[in-house]
Every structure is written in structure tokens, then in C-alpha cells.
Amino acid sequence: MSVTAPAIPSLPDAQGHFGPFGGRYVPETLMYPLMELEAEYFQAQQDSAFQAELSYYLREFCGRPTPLYFAERLTRDLAGAKIYLKREDLLHTGAHKINNALGQVLLARRMGKTRVIAETGAGQHGVATATVAAMFGLKCVIYMGAVDCERQALNVYRMKMLGAEVVPVHAGQKTLKEAVNEAMRDWVTNVRGTHYILGTAYGAHPYPVMVRNFQRVIGDEARAQILEKEGRLPDLLIACVGGGSNAIGLFYPFLGDPAVRMIGVEAGGEGIRPQKHAARFHGGSLGVLQGTRSYILQDEYGQIQLTHSVSAGLDYAAVGPEHAWLHDQGRVEYGYATDDAALEAFTRLARLEGIIPALESAHAVAECLRRAPEMSKDALIIVNLSGRGDKDVAQAAAKLNLAMPS
Amino acid sequence: MNRIEERFARLRERQQKGLIIYIGAGDPDLEATRQLALAFDRVGVDVLELGVPFSDPLADGLVNQLAAQRGLDAGATPPRVLETVAAIRRESHIPIVLYVYFNLLHRRGVREFIAEAARAGVDGLLVLDLPPEEAGPYEALMSEAGLCPIWLIAPTTPEERIEQIARHARGFIYYVSREGVTGMQSWVSDTIAAMTAKIRAHSSVPIAVGFGISNADQARAVAQHAEAIVVGSAVVNQIAERGRSRDLVPAVAAFVETLARAIKS
């Protein structure tokens, strides 16, 4: 078994298409800036000095590589497959988001931009962006839905402490989608001096491919680690999917290994009924939103539908175009976990393993709770623990009716 | 000949500048939209640019976002907007361009949307987030239906791209005079003269300049560099201020008339 991943079809194409998905659907003002970004990114990707700088900060500042941890008690409890957790929650700032934020801030510096902006849902990408902006002394503005500011208040304070300006967005349903709209409006207005650090494998080309490539470090490490620990590839990979950056980061290096099954887990919210979930592959249809063509939740006229999830990071009406492609190819399965299932997984992982996961990652854990018992004891599962749950503690305590000791 | 092309030919003959007015459909309701369109025709508007409300108007500033929200609340779905266009068309020949986000075409089917728009009496489409690179059969379908595809050129558009876009233009080219979203500005960009000159080097299609023009003085200043000017948010703002009051149509039409006078006298 080779340690490096086998070659896989090279997508996207030159225009950023993954089959019928992806592309670049933006107002004209952004077309040239996106082309410049694309040129700069592909140059940087080939530049060994850039790659060396990126690896240096990933190691010394972020804490890579992250462990591939054998979840012993969880495995015993479920009495099925052997479960490994890819511990992205141990990264600096507490989630995988920093992998991409760091890559993009180095790119922004290379392009001579002095200001960075970002959208954020759960606040983890906002914190990661504020962190790398502080590190390099760049001005930073984060757009965040007003509802998300409330439910992820801890992260709002963190961003402010890091010197970022946090702008609450009051339009629409006041969550991630509206934050993206507002970030794009800022970018279109300040495009000459500002880089938009988009936080997920979504949006206009080159964002989906660029974010995937900055996140593939997760899968590259996991692949080498499982080969070292078990001497073979895993049978199943599980990751939660909002826009889909942690999932594509884990999946991508395994795409050329046909024996490795993969499941992306969307937010099932209160169940698959209009406006009560964010499971784009279970109630969505083909559409164009915020720069790309993919599966989206929309009404009969193409207006974007409201979404719901207990997890702010998965509460989004569209999914990354590469996931849409992998879905249609049948390469990756996409399931969903409801709010209740995610909360149960959240508690269970805390009690069994001493790890409080982010509510987003708890969706992946929930899928693992269902799958592992059906698999044989020598089967191997890797669950991407994309972030830690500190930010969710207050919200989860309220949902779980935890009382303060008196 | 398409009504937009006809109108610009006539303006050229008379050596007059064109006035393009943007409003959001269904703001505050579709009957008001119909009446505003007819009133605009009477006070000298050359093209009506009608925004089809979309839930996520990411190229629009707050004024037009709120107008889109009012339009959605008033039930201005694409089919009902087209019914309104058909109603306007029964009484007026004013050229009409729909300002629309691509997902609304994509959802209906690009071919169907274009055919239905043409049937209702629409003369052109300005699809905000559809660059020529992604247009696919859009252009051929538009041409088949006799509609003008209105393309945008921005201050960030480099020369090779201007040339490429200009080659596809019909009706008019919309020069977005500054980086940013739609909205009123207290100043007029100083890059207009240079950019319109670059566009003219590659195309004889009329140029309309918009984004940020909010009063008669700015209208007059910008009109020197273009065949037409576009005023949107300033008009939408007037509509928002008056809402459903009885003087909505006469008051907004009076404001628009001051703009027409400023560029045509």
C-alpha cells in the first residue's frame, strides 16, 4: 500500500467546473479579481517557498499534525468497527478552519492586500481569520448573522479580543447565508485592497479548489497515520458537511482508493421538512447561489429557502460544488443527522471519551453511532472531529436542561 | 428591431441622451409598478429597468435589498412580474429590461424564462451574476427571442475583457461606474471618461453609465460621457419614503422628470 494517495481525476477544469457544478457566477466587478486570485494561488501552489512557509506555520503555530486518536471506549460501547477520531479540534483556535485561513492570509500578503474580510457561521472561521490577521498585522472585518452572534457569543468575544471588527448582519434569517452576501458586498466595494478569506469549499472559482487544497492536509495526514497504525486503509470516512471544507479535506486524498467508503453528514435539523433543515441532498435541487452551481434549498421560483440547524456552521442553504459532483458520481454518500441525534452524540462523546465536540462535528459522530454497530470488529472508521465544542457549551447546556449546582 | 435598439437609434437621431430608470418590481405592489412604468413613459424615461425580487441580492446595496424584500412580501414572483410587464405593454411601448439574478432563470429553465419574458413584452435581460464565460446557450436563446442581453463592464474589467464583452453586446452596454453595490453616492467617479473611451474603442453599441447617480447635477455630469444614464437607488428611495401613500406615483414621476430635463435640455 502506497503512503501517497493514488492519482485521481483532476477536477475542477480550468473554469472551475466539477462536471456540471461549480463555475463562476458573480457580478462583473469581481470577475477580474477572481482571475487574479486564481493566477496568484496556482503560482503560490507551485512555489516551494510559499509551501515551506505554510508548513512552518501549520506546524509551529497551529499545532499540526493533529493526532489520529483511537476512541477506545466509544469503540467498545458500540461493539462494532474500530473508531479513530481525526483530532482537528486540537488545532490552535479549535477547529480545522485555521488550515484554510492561514493559507489564504499568506496569499493575501503575497498579493499585497492590507485588509481581510470573512463570513462566519459558528464563528470558528471568523476566529481563525481574526487570528491570522492579528498574526500578520492585517485589518480584519468579520460578517456574522445576528442570530449566530447570539448563539455563538463566545466566538464573537474571541474575534473582538483578536482585534477584528465583527459586523452583525440583520438581513433575512440572520445566519450564514446573509453573512456571505454581506461579505461579498464588502469585497465588491473594497476589492482593490481587500482579500476575502472565504471559509468553506464553496463560492466562485478558485475558492472551492483552493479551500479544498488548503484542507487536504487533514486527509493526507489521516491516510499516513492509519497506514502506520493499522497497516491498511480505513473502510469508512465520516465528516459533517455545511459548505463542506472539513469533509472534502478528509475525503480528497482517499478518492482514488475505491475500497474506502465515505459519508458526508448534513444537518437534518428538526427533520426533512421545508425550512426545518439544511440537508441539501435531501430536499435541495440544482441552482446557482453565491457564485457557484450546486445543490441548494430553494422554492419553485428559485428563491432561497430558510434553513434550520442547531449547529450554526451547518445551517446553510447550499453545499460545495465538489460535494455535488461526488454525490452525483455516487462516490460519496450523503446522510443527515437531526438536531436531537447531534445533541445525543455530543453528550455521548463527552462522557465516553472526554472530548466535547463542536455541534457541527457531533453530526459526524451521530452517523458513526449508527454505522459502527452494523460493521464488523475488524472494520476501521475515521471520523473527522472538525472542531471542539467550547463555543457550544452554553447552548447545549440550555438544550440539555443542565442546571447549575446550587 | 428590438424596442431598446429602436429607442437608442431615435435618441441618436435627435442627439439626445437616454434616461434609464430602475425600480424593484412589486415595490410596494405590482399595481404601483404598472402605474409607475406608465408615468415614467410620460415624463421621458427611455428604458425601464425592472428588478425581479430575489431573496439574496448580493450585488445590491441596502436600499435595493429592502425594495426586493417588499417585492417578495407583495408576492412579486417571476410569473407575476411578467404579467405586470404584459399589462404595461398593453398601454405603452417603453423598452423594458429585467434586472435579474441568474438563479431565477436557472430554476425556471433558461429557455423557458427567456421565451416567457419575450412573450410578455420584455426587451432585454440584465443577469447580474451571469458572466459571458458561464452564459452557455443564453446568448443564442436571447437572440432567437429577439431580446438584448445587457452586459456589465466594471472599473476592474481589463481591456482584453472589455473587448470580449463588447463583442457580445446588443442594445446597450452597462458601465458600472464604481466598485461596489448599487446605491446613491455624493460624488461621481472620475474614471468614467477614461473607461467609456476604452469601451467605445471596441464597440459602437450605446453605453449607459450607472451606480451611484442620485440627482440632476450628477445626471448631467455623467451624461456627457455616455449615451444614457441609469438611476436606481435614488428613485427606489423615493418609493420607499412614500410607500403606499396616494401621491406615490405623481411624486416619484416628478422627481424622475427633473432627471430627464437635466440630461435632455
Side-chain angles (χ1 to χ4, degrees):
Chain A
M1 185 66 59
S2 147
V3 173
T4 45
I8 50 173
S10 68
L11 284 176
D13 69 14
Q15 307 298 318
H17 298 114
F18 300 87
F21 308 105
R24 197 179 262 159
Y25 296 86
V26 294
E28 175 58 26
T29 307
L30 291 181
M31 283 302 286
Y32 186 66
L34 283 165
M35 290 172 183
E36 268 185 328
L37 176 62
E38 177 192 355
E40 192 73 35
Y41 167 65
F42 285 113
Q43 246 178 42
Q45 203 196 14
Q46 302 303 319
D47 176 352
S48 55
F50 179 86
Q51 292 301 337
E53 192 183 20
L54 178 59
S55 315
Y56 168 80
Y57 287 116
L58 283 174
R59 185 177 70 243
E60 302 291 325
F61 183 74
C62 303
R64 299 215 74 92
T66 59
L68 184 70
Y69 178 69
F70 173 43
E72 209 175 326
R73 290 192 69 214
L74 183 64
T75 297
R76 207 179 316 141
D77 199 59
L78 296 175
K82 206 168 168 185
I83 300 159
Y84 281 91
L85 304 174
K86 182 58 175 165
R87 298 291 309 273
E88 294 298 292
D89 61 314
L90 291 177
L91 278 178
H92 180 44
T93 70
H96 73 290
K97 293 293 187 188
I98 191 107
N99 299 326
N100 167 55
L102 181 64
Q104 286 199 46
V105 85
L106 294 179
L107 208 55
R109 290 179 76 213
R110 217 179 133 97
M111 291 186 289
K113 308 278 182 177
T114 54
R115 178 175 177 269
V116 292
I117 58 168
E119 85 296 340
T120 196
Q124 288 301 132
H125 176 58
V127 169
T129 302
T131 298
V132 296
M135 222 177 134
F136 292 110
L138 302 180
K139 257 203 194 147
C140 179
V141 178
I142 305 293
Y143 293 93
M144 187 168 185
V147 166
D148 291 340
C149 287
E150 211 164 292
R151 58 179 165 171
Q152 307 277 221
L154 173 73
N155 277 343
V156 175
Y157 291 124
R158 290 170 78 196
M159 289 183 265
K160 288 188 171 180
M161 279 169 197
L162 290 159
E165 182 191 343
V166 181
V167 180
V169 180
H170 293 278
Q173 71 175 91
K174 304 173 189 183
T175 59
L176 180 56
K177 174 169 66 73
E178 289 75 21
V180 173
N181 287 338
E182 213 50 42
M184 287 190 75
R185 290 182 188 119
D186 179 316
W187 198 35
V188 86
T189 307
N190 301 297
V191 65
R192 293 183 198 260
T194 296
H195 174 62
Y196 177 18
I197 303 189
L198 188 73
T200 191
Y202 192 76
H205 181 59
Y207 282 103
V209 61
M210 178 170 74
V211 176
R212 174 195 79 196
N213 291 348
F214 284 136
Q215 291 294 359
R216 66 170 289 174
V217 65
I218 303 171
D220 285 330
E221 283 178 12
R223 198 168 186 283
Q225 288 166 320
I226 197 83
L227 288 176
E228 193 197 314
K229 288 173 198 292
E230 295 285 345
R232 68 181 190 87
L233 290 172
D235 299 284
L236 180 62
L237 306 176
I238 305 176
C240 66
V241 181
S245 71
N246 88 82
I248 202 72
L250 174 66
F251 295 167
Y252 186 70
F254 293 94
L255 286 177
D257 300 310
V260 179
R261 284 178 60 205
M262 306 175 191
I263 302 179
V265 187
E266 300 184 281
E270 294 170 7
I272 307 302
R273 302 191 306 279
Q275 312 187 4
K276 296 295 180 194
H277 70 100
R280 291 66 43 104
F281 292 120
H282 300 85
S285 50
L286 198 53
V288 172
L289 178 65
Q290 294 173 336
T292 195
R293 189 164 190 254
S294 187
Y295 282 84
I296 62 180
L297 294 168
Q298 57 186 332
D299 73 8
E300 60 179 309
Y301 300 113
Q303 307 294 355
I304 309 309
Q305 281 181 325
L306 300 181
T307 54
H308 165 80
S309 169
V310 68
S311 134
L314 305 183
D315 197 351
Y316 184 56
V319 65
E322 191 164 10
H323 285 291
W325 167 248
L326 294 170
H327 170 270
D328 278 21
Q329 292 297 300
R331 180 65 186 92
V332 178
E333 294 165 58
Y334 292 85
Y336 62 87
T338 61
D339 287 354
D340 289 346
L343 279 163
E344 195 209 319
F346 178 88
T347 312
R348 202 131 163 220
L349 195 70
R351 303 275 166 90
L352 282 170
E353 292 291 345
I355 297 169
I356 299 176
L359 280 173
E360 290 75 19
S361 322
H363 285 70
V365 176
E367 185 69 22
C368 176
L369 297 182
R370 290 197 323 124
R371 300 283 176 152
E374 299 165 357
M375 295 168 72
S376 76
K377 293 204 173 187
D378 53 8
L380 299 174
I381 298 179
I382 296 178
V383 178
N384 200 9
L385 210 64
S386 54
R388 65 177 177 239
D390 306 35
K391 67 186 176 63
D392 299 313
V393 162
Q395 195 195 354
K399 297 242 179 224
L400 298 167
N401 293 317
L402 299 187
M404 285 297 273
S406 48
Chain B
M1 201 188 228
N2 177 290
R3 270 180 289 256
I4 299 169
E5 292 172 320
E6 233 167 63
R7 179 63 61 111
F8 274 100
R10 201 172 84 198
L11 287 167
R12 184 192 293 246
E13 248 168 55
R14 295 183 183 171
Q15 294 188 311
Q16 263 187 348
K17 302 290 184 178
L19 177 63
I20 302 174
I21 295 291
Y22 169 93
I23 58 172
D27 177 21
D29 55 49
L30 286 164
E31 174 54 20
T33 301
R34 188 186 70 87
Q35 291 181 20
L36 284 166
L38 298 175
F40 290 168
D41 191 12
R42 286 192 293 269
V43 299
V45 172
D46 295 295
V47 177
L48 173 67
E49 191 184 320
L50 196 55
V52 185
F54 181 51
S55 55
D56 293 82
L58 57 79
D60 284 294
L62 189 60
V63 168
N64 289 352
Q65 287 174 47
L66 293 172
Q69 192 53 55
R70 291 191 293 271
L72 289 172
D73 293 345
T77 59
R80 294 204 56 210
V81 172
L82 292 182
E83 281 169 27
T84 305
V85 170
I88 296 166
R89 202 41 87 225
R90 283 194 283 276
E91 297 180 52
S92 159
H93 293 292
I94 187 170
I96 299 176
V97 170
L98 294 185
Y99 170 109
V100 61
Y101 285 85
F102 184 55
N103 197 50
L104 301 182
L105 275 80
H106 187 273
R107 181 65 163 158
R108 178 67 189 99
V110 174
R111 174 184 295 276
E112 290 76 7
F113 192 102
I114 289 171
E116 286 161 8
R119 212 154 42 233
V122 168
D123 306 294
L125 297 181
L126 193 171
V127 189
L128 254 291
D129 50 353
L130 185 70
E133 286 85 345
E134 298 288 355
Y138 167 77
E139 244 187 302
L141 292 168
M142 289 289 281
S143 155
E144 213 173 282
L147 300 191
C148 293
I150 308 300
W151 297 106
L152 298 171
I153 288 178
T156 50
T157 309
E159 183 122 20
E160 322 80 80
R161 216 177 138 70
I162 292 178
E163 190 185 346
Q164 179 202 346
I165 294 171
R167 215 180 310 127
H168 297 264
R170 269 193 66 192
F172 61 93
I173 290 171
Y174 190 140
Y175 177 61
V176 174
S177 64
R178 62 181 166 79
E179 291 100 342
V181 293
T182 54
M184 296 168 283
Q185 293 288 318
S186 54
W187 51 275
V188 170
S189 166
D190 51 9
T191 60
I192 294 174
M195 283 298 283
T196 49
K198 274 190 201 169
I199 298 168
R200 248 182 264 284
H202 299 290
S203 174
S204 55
V205 172
I207 302 170
V209 178
F211 271 46
I213 300 168
S214 59
N215 59 45
D217 287 343
Q218 291 176 340
R220 201 176 296 121
V222 174
Q224 295 174 2
H225 305 293
E227 278 74 25
I229 63 157
V230 188
V231 182
S233 300
V235 178
V236 173
N237 205 39
Q238 300 260 337
I239 295 173
E241 276 173 14
R242 288 180 177 74
R244 291 173 193 276
S245 77
R246 213 174 306 163
D247 73 336
L248 170 73
V249 176
V252 174
F255 171 67
V256 168
E257 193 170 12
T258 63
L259 300 171
R261 284 224 186 92
I263 64 165
K264 287 179 192 276
S265 60

